[in-house]
Amino acid sequence: MDIHMKQAPSDFFPASHQPGLFRSSAWLTAWNETWGTHPSTRPSGDAVSLSSGTTLEEMIVRTRTYKGSILPITTAFPLGLSTREMPSIRSEYFFFCNEDDHLSKTITRYLDNALQQSWDQFYIADVLRSSPTYHLLLQAAKARQLGIIHAEIEPTYAIDLRQQDFTTYLGNLGKHTRLRLFNRRQHLKKQGPVKVQNIWPDRTAFFQLLNDFHQRRWGKACYRGRNRDFINLLLDRSTAQGYEVDFSVMSVSDTPVSVVFDIRYQGRQYNFQSGYQENYCKSVALGTLHFGYQIEAAFNNPAIQFYDFMAGKGKNCDYKKKLVNRTDEFATLLLVRSHWLKQAYKLQSLLRRT
């Protein structure tokens, strides 16, 4: 059986979930207070300040880079996003607002306001290709003679919890995936008593575990510098507004062996990060097994409709693809204003084809 259920792609991120965690006031405020002061930002003399009524959702940021180390490029992008120059925590699912009858006017107004500032290209990452936002944005960009570059197309992954229960979901998985996600729980229990618990709000203990696991696997901590400050501010603001944080720790004989960091918001459970002790038990994939507990709990929570793995692949394989029953695609767009830059991108495209 094909685990990817045949449903309307536009239902991948329902209107009731929009604009989503990454365009929420908690996210944008935390980003503005940590990354908004980054030295790469270029102050704009004609930019409208918040005091004059511009909201965080409407604000744009500008950075200066050089193409070929010679030609200067000013890139504008919506506040809250991660870029090469400002590598904040990735902001996925870009929406201008809730997708309603006013969306076309909202996008038109946003682009027209952005065009009042000076920039060569406008960067917008992780727009769902199935969404009205994506199609109306392209339409508005073409009407304004902006060049459109699809800088990247990338899959995003989620489990739709609405049409089935956990047992049915397991039955639709491949045999090997089901084994890793659920059946080998008994193997782990042979190592000692297994416990899965949410240790929120103990940030110190959780982030120490997560950073330690990441340091061993990837050679660097998960959250550090501005991103450490950003995630702490996000947690402060999101929980004050009713979001739910899950600092899930899986322990064997009271020794932590795996962690999963999720945030629940507007019917969606976003999986932010995970980490585990490598080579703990050869017969058990600790990370996948821990996800099994998280997914089962999400199925049992009537307030959650999607368990969202978002974009990104594992170190050795695309494990998310095997776990989910819904997929969509993100488009990262460059809306090019500068004539010379349009020509440069055309030349670059031709060279790639030869």
Side-chain angles (χ1 to χ4, degrees):
M1 180 183 294
D2 184 1
I3 189 172
H4 299 275
M5 297 184 294
K6 303 299 183 182
Q7 297 188 26
S10 59
D11 193 40
F12 185 88
F13 205 103
S16 60
H17 296 183
Q18 298 172 14
L21 174 64
F22 300 100
R23 300 306 293 169
S24 67
S25 61
W27 182 277
L28 297 177
T29 302
W31 194 98
N32 192 43
E33 292 185 20
T34 52
W35 286 94
T37 59
H38 191 276
S40 291
T41 60
R42 300 190 66 228
S44 176
D46 57 351
V48 184
S49 67
L50 282 175
S51 60
S52 64
T54 302
T55 65
L56 287 173
E57 292 89 341
E58 297 170 321
M59 289 186 69
I60 70 170
V61 179
R62 300 186 308 155
T63 57
R64 173 67 64 89
T65 55
Y66 291 86
K67 193 170 185 64
S69 302
I70 300 174
L71 299 173
I73 301 175
T74 298
T75 300
F77 59 94
L79 182 143
L81 272 61
S82 173
T83 70
R84 183 180 301 175
E85 293 72 38
M86 300 174 64
S88 61
I89 296 171
R90 182 173 179 173
S91 171
E92 306 186 32
Y93 298 112
F94 182 88
F95 292 96
F96 286 98
C97 58
N98 289 64
E99 295 185 326
D100 55 21
D101 294 339
H102 304 289
L103 179 61
S104 180
K105 292 181 180 179
T106 299
I107 292 175
T108 295
R109 184 175 64 252
Y110 184 91
L111 280 185
D112 285 344
N113 288 340
L115 285 166
Q116 294 178 23
Q117 297 194 37
S118 174
W119 46 267
D120 299 304
Q121 59 183 12
F122 201 95
Y123 172 87
I124 305 182
D126 293 339
V127 183
L128 275 180
R129 293 185 76 192
S130 65
S131 69
T133 293
Y134 171 76
H135 298 287
L136 290 172
L137 179 58
L138 295 189
Q139 180 180 311
K142 289 178 182 178
R144 285 152 184 78
Q145 286 78 52
L146 296 173
I148 299 171
I149 304 293
H150 283 74
E152 187 172 9
I153 302 294
E154 185 178 9
T156 180
Y157 304 98
I159 300 171
D160 189 339
L161 312 171
R162 298 170 298 177
Q163 305 299 323
Q164 56 186 332
D165 56 23
F166 184 61
T167 301
T168 304
Y169 161 77
L170 286 175
N172 288 334
L173 294 174
K175 180 180 178 181
H176 185 62
T177 301
R178 184 167 58 249
L179 191 70
R180 292 163 60 89
L181 188 80
F182 179 78
N183 291 355
R184 284 187 172 153
R185 288 182 181 182
Q186 297 304 319
H187 286 239
L188 186 61
K189 290 177 181 177
K190 292 179 181 178
Q191 307 298 315
V194 176
K195 180 170 58 178
V196 179
Q197 62 180 144
N198 180 5
I199 67 168
W200 170 260
D202 193 345
R203 304 184 199 189
T204 300
F206 185 82
F207 286 135
Q208 184 65 55
L209 287 169
L210 179 62
N211 282 338
D212 284 349
F213 289 142
H214 269 250
Q215 186 68 45
R216 296 171 195 170
R217 183 169 178 79
W218 301 98
K220 61 181 180 179
C222 181
Y223 295 128
R224 52 185 175 167
R226 287 180 189 266
N227 279 335
R228 179 188 58 221
D229 297 337
F230 170 82
I231 202 69
N232 276 304
L233 281 174
L234 174 66
L235 292 173
D236 289 340
R237 283 157 177 71
S238 60
T239 52
Q241 296 176 26
Y243 307 16
E244 295 181 352
V245 178
D246 190 349
F247 280 170
S248 182
V249 178
M250 185 169 72
S251 302
V252 179
S253 299
D254 293 324
T255 299
V257 295
S258 177
V259 295
V260 174
F261 173 25
D262 291 344
I263 295 180
R264 292 186 282 270
Y265 176 60
Q266 288 182 318
R268 210 168 187 94
Q269 184 157 328
Y270 299 86
N271 173 238
F272 264 73
Q273 285 291 344
S274 62
Y276 58 89
Q277 182 177 330
E278 293 191 271
N279 304 317
Y280 176 78
C281 179
K282 291 184 179 180
S283 62
V284 175
L286 283 177
T288 304
L289 194 72
H290 195 167
F291 279 134
Y293 284 106
Q294 294 297 100
I295 294 166
E296 182 178 20
F299 268 107
N300 292 331
N301 185 340
I304 304 302
Q305 297 174 322
F306 278 77
Y307 188 89
D308 199 334
F309 282 104
M310 301 184 285
K313 298 181 180 180
K315 184 177 181 180
N316 300 314
C317 66
D318 189 0
Y319 69 90
K320 296 178 182 180
K321 184 177 182 180
K322 299 176 182 179
L323 298 177
V324 304
N325 55 25
R326 298 294 301 277
T327 62
D328 207 311
E329 287 185 326
F330 283 141
T332 293
L333 302 172
L334 287 173
L335 309 182
V336 187
R337 183 186 201 176
S338 164
H339 177 71
W340 73 263
L341 190 55
K342 289 179 184 179
Q343 299 306 312
Y345 279 126
K346 285 182 181 179
L347 178 60
Q348 186 179 63
S349 178
L350 289 173
L351 291 175
R352 286 176 177 172
R353 294 175 188 174
T354 58

